[in-house]
């Protein structure tokens, strides 16, 4: 029997975006189906659960108007696949991989399952090559490494989208003649946000090396669950078939998880924390763990997921579980944003766990690690003294305390607040030395005497004029 022609007519129940079909146990999990109603309208769907009694199908569009008596379901593909090709660079697609840029359809080289191919742990190579984002607080203090997954924790009203677009525009692999590409997936964004991203990518020329998947807020919820998997399928293809170094930007993972919660509620599953499904950790891991570098392959997949923290709460299930799976986080600060500093990245709660693998002599610069450690220590000290000033006043401070207080102010003004400038790592490190040179040499306890002798004494005004 040809399963592609077989039709299932025993539809029993509709719950939100879900369709329940009896006597369809031969349908496979993840299969793509076609749903035709009595009027002849065709909708797409995917099998998300199969038992001996019934199959559950996620409908990609709304289920309004479906009549159980006249609707039929037929198999289209045994598993969800995406046609991939290098022609996808420079193109825009919707959340399920259909072109939305008024250009001809892609001629695929192959059709890949969107669920991805698990990377054999033995074949994984240790991530240890530097990616330059052009953002000083990331490159110097929270270095991104090829093959890493490094999320950005944002909050309502913070400029995470602007930062994502800037990183997509500026990210590069310095000093190497390699192919670099950006795969950008936006989930549940508004029309204003969509226009911003499209205009930004086109205006800056970043679109030429990018593949955009854009799922709008008014698109079907189910599409939102497929969007990051579509993006990662393209990323893996470009990285491991065509040797690209691919940076995947996923925004906003909170919208993705809310879609997951909505589908779980439709399936009447027992909810976990804040109504999210209990398997959300596993589901997020199937996305985040698709980053990496593989032995024998020249390409790499690096992830930069962006997620909003409701009420700036880091214990919310989405940032909490993301923090467990990923290798650090870059945190945006509302306090820095209120000071009109951009990008408002707070280095103190931020962390890149793989940073030490990719910096130092022969990789970035021999003083990189010590400079980062000293910046953390000095800025942390200055922030603590600010809190002390609020209690006892500035008059009670020692001369050393005043220097740290001034350092914290200048660090935010010059180092964090770089605006839309694209700084090389050398420029960022030189600026860091100019700031550290405002402190007495005796306070630079995390830097060797050799490096102090070589770099200490840079004038802030001179360096600032160069960056």
């Amino acid at each position: 029997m040809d399963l592609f022609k077989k039709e299932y007519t025993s539809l029993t129940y509709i719950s939100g975006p879900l369709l329940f079909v009896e006597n369809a146990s031969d349908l496979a999990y993840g299969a793509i189906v076609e749903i035709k109603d009595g009027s002849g309208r065709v909708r797409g769907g995917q099998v998300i659960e199969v038992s001996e009694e019934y199959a559950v199908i996620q409908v990609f569009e709304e289920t309004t108007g479906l009549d159980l008596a006249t609707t039929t379901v037929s198999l289209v593909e045994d598993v969800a696949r995406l046609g991939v090709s290098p022609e996808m660079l420079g193109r825009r697609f919707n959340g399920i991989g259909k072109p939305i840029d008024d250009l001809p359809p892609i001629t695929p080289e192959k059709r890949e399952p969107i669920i991805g191919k698990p990377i054999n742990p033995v074949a994984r190579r240790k991530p240890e090559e530097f990616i330059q984002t052009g953002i000083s607080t990331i490159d110097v203090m929270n270095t991104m490494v090829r093959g890493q997954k490094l999320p950005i924790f944002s909050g309502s009203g913070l400029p995470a989208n602007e930062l994502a677009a800037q990183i997509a525009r500026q990210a590069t692999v310095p000093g190497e003649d390699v192919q670099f590409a950006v795969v950008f997936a936006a989930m549940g964004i508004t029309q204003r946000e969509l226009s911003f991203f499209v205009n930004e990518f086109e205006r800056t020329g970043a679109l030429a090396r990018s593949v955009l998947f854009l799922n709008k807020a008014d698109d079907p919820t189910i599409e939102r669950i497929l969007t990051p998997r579509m993006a990662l399928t393209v990323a893996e293809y470009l990285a491991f078939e065509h040797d690209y170094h691919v940076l995947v930007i996923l925004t906003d993972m909170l919208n993705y998880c809310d879609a997951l919660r909505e589908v779980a509620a439709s399936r009447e599953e027992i909810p976990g924390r804040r109504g999210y499904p209990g398997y959300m950790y596993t589901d997020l891991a199937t996305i985040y763990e698709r980053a990496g570098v593989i032995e024998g392959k020249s390409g790499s997949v690096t992830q930069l997921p962006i997620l909003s923290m409701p009420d700036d709460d880091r214990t919310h299930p989405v940032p909490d579980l993301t923090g467990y799976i990923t290798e650090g986080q870059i945190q945006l600060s509302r306090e820095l944003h209120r000071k009109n500093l951009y990008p408002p990245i707070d280095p103190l709660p931020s962390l890149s766990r793989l940073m030490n693998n990719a910096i130092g002599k022969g990789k970035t610069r021999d003083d990189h690690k010590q400079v980062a450690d000293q910046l953390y220590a000095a800025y942390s000290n200055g922030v603590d003294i600010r809190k002390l000033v609020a209690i006892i006043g500035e008059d009670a401070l020692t001369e050393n305390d005043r220097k740290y207080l001034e350092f914290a102010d200048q660090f935010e003004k010059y180092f964090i607040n770089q605006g839309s400038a694209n700084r090389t790592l050398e420029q960022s490190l030189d600026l860091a030395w100019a700031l550290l040179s405002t402190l007495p040499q005796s306070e630079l306890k995390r830097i060797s005497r050799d490096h102090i002798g070589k770099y200490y004494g840079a004038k802030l005004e001179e360096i600032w004029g160069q960056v």
Side-chain angles (χ1 to χ4, degrees):
M1 181 187 295
D2 186 354
L3 285 177
F4 284 86
K5 299 297 182 184
K6 183 175 180 180
E7 289 190 343
Y8 303 86
T9 57
S10 52
L11 282 68
T12 59
Y13 180 54
I14 295 175
S15 175
L18 303 184
L19 196 60
F20 291 75
V21 186
E22 278 188 338
N23 303 319
S25 58
D26 53 344
L27 283 174
Y29 175 81
I32 297 298
V33 298
E34 192 174 82
I35 303 153
K36 185 184 290 186
D37 63 20
S39 66
R41 178 183 173 187
V42 176
R43 314 171 207 218
Q46 183 179 21
V47 179
I48 61 170
E49 186 177 327
V50 181
S51 68
E52 291 182 2
E53 298 176 8
Y54 58 81
V56 183
I57 296 169
Q58 287 183 160
V59 184
F60 293 154
E61 300 162 63
E62 75 281 352
T63 53
T64 309
L66 280 180
D67 179 9
L68 295 176
T70 59
T71 300
T72 62
V73 174
S74 57
L75 182 66
V76 174
E77 206 158 21
D78 60 340
V79 67
R81 295 176 186 272
L82 176 66
V84 291
S85 164
E87 294 177 22
M88 300 179 83
L89 287 166
R91 298 292 302 272
R92 288 183 279 129
F93 303 87
N94 66 7
I96 54 174
K98 294 181 179 177
I100 53 172
D101 51 7
D102 299 324
L103 294 173
I106 295 293
T107 304
E109 278 191 356
K110 54 169 62 177
R111 294 183 61 79
E112 295 281 13
I114 68 167
I115 200 165
K117 301 171 184 174
I119 301 176
N120 186 332
V122 178
R124 279 187 183 270
R125 191 155 50 83
K126 185 178 178 183
E128 52 187 3
E129 291 95 22
F130 166 62
I131 289 181
Q132 181 174 287
T133 65
I135 310 289
S136 294
T137 38
I138 298 177
D139 290 347
V140 175
M141 305 179 73
N142 300 284
T143 308
M144 185 186 295
V145 185
R146 270 184 263 173
Q148 184 178 15
K149 38 198 181 289
L150 185 64
I152 294 177
F153 287 4
S154 181
S156 177
L158 297 180
N161 289 338
E162 289 81 354
L163 180 59
Q166 184 173 353
I167 291 173
R169 178 175 75 245
Q170 296 177 177
T172 184
V173 178
E176 293 187 34
D177 184 18
V178 297
Q179 300 181 101
F180 192 87
V182 175
V183 176
F184 182 88
M187 294 158 278
I189 59 173
T190 63
Q191 183 60 45
R192 184 189 66 81
E193 290 172 320
L194 183 142
S195 299
F196 165 77
F197 282 125
V198 171
N199 293 338
E200 192 69 12
F201 274 80
E202 289 180 345
R203 179 183 66 82
T204 60
L207 184 60
R209 63 168 187 173
S210 305
V211 184
L212 274 60
F213 289 87
L214 304 170
N215 168 262
K216 296 190 294 183
D218 59 349
D219 286 337
T221 303
I222 303 306
E223 281 190 17
R224 217 153 292 154
I225 295 176
L226 298 180
T227 302
R229 293 176 170 84
M230 293 282 178
L232 286 162
T233 301
V234 176
E236 289 169 344
Y237 168 75
L238 292 173
F240 305 131
E241 300 278 340
H242 291 277
D243 298 335
Y244 277 84
H245 291 291
V246 185
L247 175 63
V248 183
I249 300 175
L250 306 171
T251 181
D252 182 324
M253 291 305 294
L254 179 68
N255 293 338
Y256 170 84
C257 292
D258 286 346
L260 206 63
R261 177 169 60 180
E262 185 177 327
V263 171
S266 299
R267 293 170 69 177
E268 299 180 2
E269 295 174 347
I270 298 172
R273 279 198 296 163
R274 303 207 190 185
Y276 291 99
Y279 53 79
M280 189 167 74
Y281 177 91
T282 306
D283 191 276
L284 286 172
T286 63
I287 294 175
Y288 295 144
E289 291 297 343
R290 290 173 73 173
V293 283
I294 301 177
E295 291 287 355
K297 300 283 187 179
S298 300
S300 63
V301 176
T302 306
Q303 282 190 32
L304 191 71
I306 297 172
L307 59 92
S308 297
M309 301 181 293
D311 302 320
D312 296 348
D313 179 13
R314 280 199 47 178
T315 66
H316 183 275
V318 179
D320 190 32
L321 295 180
T322 295
Y324 281 121
I325 302 166
T326 55
E327 292 124 4
Q329 70 279 331
I330 295 167
Q331 184 153 330
L332 303 190
S333 161
R334 195 167 298 281
E335 182 181 347
L336 294 176
H337 182 58
R338 288 195 186 108
K339 295 179 180 179
N340 291 321
L341 303 179
Y342 175 85
I345 297 172
D346 187 349
L348 298 182
S350 299
L351 170 69
S352 172
R353 293 190 180 96
L354 301 184
M355 171 177 171
N356 290 345
N357 295 346
I359 64 174
K361 190 173 183 180
K363 295 180 177 178
T364 53
R365 209 169 81 177
D366 55 356
D367 61 324
H368 188 159
K369 171 74 169 113
Q370 294 181 10
V371 167
D373 289 347
Q374 190 65 63
L375 286 176
Y376 266 113
Y379 182 54
S380 176
N381 202 358
V383 170
D384 288 343
I385 291 170
R386 273 185 193 158
K387 296 173 184 175
L388 189 64
V389 167
I391 300 171
I392 64 173
E394 201 168 326
D395 292 340
L397 298 180
T398 66
E399 187 60 34
N400 225 30
D401 290 341
R402 293 177 193 275
K403 287 187 181 297
Y404 276 109
L405 196 61
E406 184 182 0
F407 174 87
D409 292 339
Q410 290 187 328
F411 179 79
E412 291 175 356
K413 179 180 177 182
Y414 295 106
F415 196 82
I416 294 178
N417 185 37
Q418 71 178 77
S420 59
N422 182 6
R423 292 177 182 165
T424 66
L425 178 65
E426 290 285 332
Q427 289 175 325
S428 295
L429 287 171
D430 289 346
L431 181 58
W433 270 108
L435 289 164
L436 291 173
S437 296
T438 62
L439 297 173
Q441 287 192 30
S442 58
E443 292 298 312
L444 306 185
K445 297 171 183 174
R446 297 172 183 266
I447 301 180
S448 70
R449 305 315 301 174
D450 289 344
H451 289 147
I452 290 176
K454 185 176 180 181
Y455 297 107
Y456 185 84
K459 299 297 182 185
L460 184 58
E461 298 77 13
E462 294 176 7
I463 300 297
W464 177 246
Q466 298 169 12
V467 300

